[in-house]
Amino acid sequence: MNTGMRYRNASPGKKLFIILLQLVMLTYVVLIIYPLFNMVISSFKSTRDIMLRPFSLPESYSFENYVTIWVDKGFGRYFLNSLLFTGCAMVFVVLLGSMAAYGIARYKFRGNTLLYMLFLSGIMLPLKAAVIPLFQIVKSLGLMDNPFSVILVFIAMGLPSTVFILSGFMRTIPGELEQAARIDGCSDLRIYSQIVMPITAPSIALATIYNAVPIWNDFFFPLVFIQSDKFKTLPVGLSSFIGQHSTKWDLLFTGLSIAIVPMLLLYLFMSKYFIKGLTAGAIK
Amino acid sequence: MTKARNWKKAAWVTFFVLPGAAIVFVFILMPLFMSLFNSFFSWNQLIRGEFIGLENFKKLFTGYPYQERFANALGNNVKWFVVTMLVQNTLGILFGYVLSRGIAGHGTYRRIFFIPVLFSIIAVGFLWGLYLKPKGMVNSLLSLMGRQDLTRAWLGDGSIATYTIIAVNIWRWVGFPTLVFMSAIDNVPAECTEAAYLDGVNEWQMFFRIVLPLIVPSITIISVLTIIGSLNVFEQVYTMAGLDGPPNYATDTIGTLFYRTAFGSVDSGAPEIGIGSAIAVIIYLMTFGISLCSILFTKSKEVEL
């Protein structure tokens, strides 16, 4: 792209505009970094300290709070459950989502648009408003207090946007590629898995982050469908701090700091592809 | 020959599409129809009673206390939509534009701007809830700057509490439209912008005459997502204010009202499945209807290259 926002060579009015914008954006950066920083340092402080001197640095860095919450409060188990639930759900979201996107984007058949609309409507229809019938469905499937209920709902949550993003991209892949492979005797499954999927990787990164974050952070469905402590997830464990009158802020901040690590890692790891995926025409 | 090939094609399509479609059907579409079905019946706790037609809807629109609560909650959802649309998406388009046009530090900005999205809503609720307390960080910062007059109970004052929560939500989400618009503007063909430059347009004209018309599809997507998001506000209010939309229902939204109705605490304290389902049906209809209208509206503004 050309150099429209270079400070040098800009007219005085534009210089002022650029300075103003830089100020706004730097303020926003501070507003992002500070809470993150504050959250992590607070995890090393005592509740008393957090309340009385919220800006101060901790006196010492001991991992006492981390041990307490990980072991005594059972967050170790919640963390593993969250990893397991999110991991399972995301594997199926990407697998089934890319398959469906491939089927819809690369085959012409009657009902094609209707199927696409089915997935699209899933983006528009808020799943939380469906909690009563979902409860009925899960109950009749005998999946109450069973991790599968939450995982299935998570998959349903992630599929529509994944199909939307991936099919949008797959439509832009030239048909010759596929025809050439077909002439070489590739089966449809191999075309999907070895030709289309690798090209689609940036869009898959986009769909993964777009869906893994809300799934990892969701506390609504695990709260509704899970009762046993052994199946609880990290956000559910954290939500138990809501509305308490004497919140243990030190432990809460420790839990919050633990909870953001996997998503931060995922994002840093994928951000290059993620941004490429956005630009690749998944969202035009 | 062609028949066999058609069968083969049908088999492949089924293989690829069916598993995903089945899950979406069972867990998204079926609940929609079940909500509609449930809303036509009277309910005694979790047991379905007799068919009562539109009685639940009537109660919701005219009966006490539902009518008042519903109107109040819907009003707040409208506030969410208007403020988010105006502030968040305008900021998003502005940020996206300058990032795409290579403002100094654009690579770092675009990575950092998305980080708040990664925070769980619980973290956002607690952190900002703490900062916005009467004696919290925001007020002490204002006092420090000598602006005592601006300090207030951000979440305790009914006239501003909703806007406070919306502001925090914008803090969390603005990176998303920023990245979407940035990539959309990146995709505007260089010939268009370069030709415009040669013709000597200024930055204003460049933005409004060249770039904006070409990114209408992404504006559509962001608008629709804003509508959906605004009608489904729940966690933000739940974590920062509470289920009852305190103070005195000032922050109540359809989402929290629905939750209280479905799980019980609005009228008698018992779950009201019938009225809850009626609210769900209205949420569905509004989301669907308004999204469709805005898609059709922006479709008419689209320009082809």
Side-chain angles (χ1 to χ4, degrees), chain A residues 1-2 4-5 14 21-22 24-26 28-29 31-32 34-36 38-39 51 55 96 99-100 102-103 107-109 115 118-119 121-134 136-137 152-153 155-156 159-160 188-189 192 209-210 213 217 219-220 235 238-239 241-242 249 252-253 256 260 263-264 267 271 274-275 278-279 281 283-284, chain B residues 9 12-13 15-17 19-21 23-24 26-32 34-35 38 43 94-95 97-98 100-101 103-104 109-114 116-123 126-127 130-131 137 140 171 174 176 179-180 182-183 186-187 193-194 197 203 218 221 225 228 232 234-235 238-239 258-259 262-263 273 280 283-284 287-288 291 295:
Chain A
M1 187 101 215
N2 61 55
M5 281 288 156
K14 198 163 163 186
L21 262 168
Q22 284 284 9
V24 173
M25 296 209 290
L26 281 173
Y28 185 44
V29 168
L31 282 177
I32 294 167
Y34 188 77
L36 191 63
N38 182 257
M39 184 171 91
M51 285 293 125
F55 304 100
L96 302 183
M99 281 165 60
Y102 178 72
Y107 291 90
K108 280 199 189 76
F109 58 94
L115 266 173
L118 168 83
F119 283 106
S121 68
I123 300 181
M124 293 193 201
L125 299 173
L127 210 49
K128 273 195 296 279
V131 66
I132 299 166
L134 274 177
Q136 294 173 315
I137 291 171
L152 278 166
V153 172
I155 297 173
L159 276 175
D188 297 45
L189 187 63
Y192 155 78
I209 291 187
Y210 188 78
V213 173
N217 287 327
F219 67 92
F220 188 82
L238 288 168
S239 73
F241 284 92
I242 294 176
W249 288 95
L252 174 65
F253 279 117
L256 294 177
I260 201 171
M263 289 304 107
L264 219 48
Y267 176 63
S271 72
F274 170 70
I275 290 169
L278 270 167
T279 320
I283 297 176
K284 222 171 50 158
Chain B
K9 193 177 99 179
W12 277 117
V13 171
F15 166 77
F16 282 122
V17 180
I23 291 182
V24 169
V26 172
F27 289 95
I28 297 183
L29 229 54
M30 220 162 78
L32 163 77
M34 286 168 77
S35 292
N38 288 344
W43 288 77
L94 183 72
F95 286 167
Y97 182 71
V98 297
S100 169
R101 320 253 317 124
I103 198 165
Y109 284 133
R110 67 179 187 191
R111 282 197 170 71
I112 292 180
F113 280 12
F114 199 72
V117 178
L118 307 176
F119 276 87
S120 78
I121 183 68
I122 297 173
F126 274 118
L127 279 169
L130 187 65
Y131 298 160
M137 205 175 279
S140 27
W171 169 83
V174 74
F176 181 68
L179 288 188
V180 170
M182 185 195 77
S183 55
D186 278 346
N187 276 343
T193 48
E194 268 155 27
Y197 254 113
E203 205 67 39
S218 60
I221 291 174
L225 290 176
I228 297 170
N232 293 295
F234 168 74
E235 278 103 340
Y238 175 49
T239 53
F258 165 75
Y259 190 94
F263 292 92
I273 303 283
I283 296 178
Y284 284 144
T287 319
F288 215 73
S291 306
I295 290 172

Side-chain angles (χ1 to χ4, degrees), chain A residues 5 13 42 82 110 119 175 206 223 225 235 253 258 276:
Chain A
M5 281 288 156
S42 295
S82 269
R110 227 187 308 168
F119 283 106
L206 172 65
L223 202 63
F225 294 134
F253 279 117
I258 294 173
K276 208 189 263 170

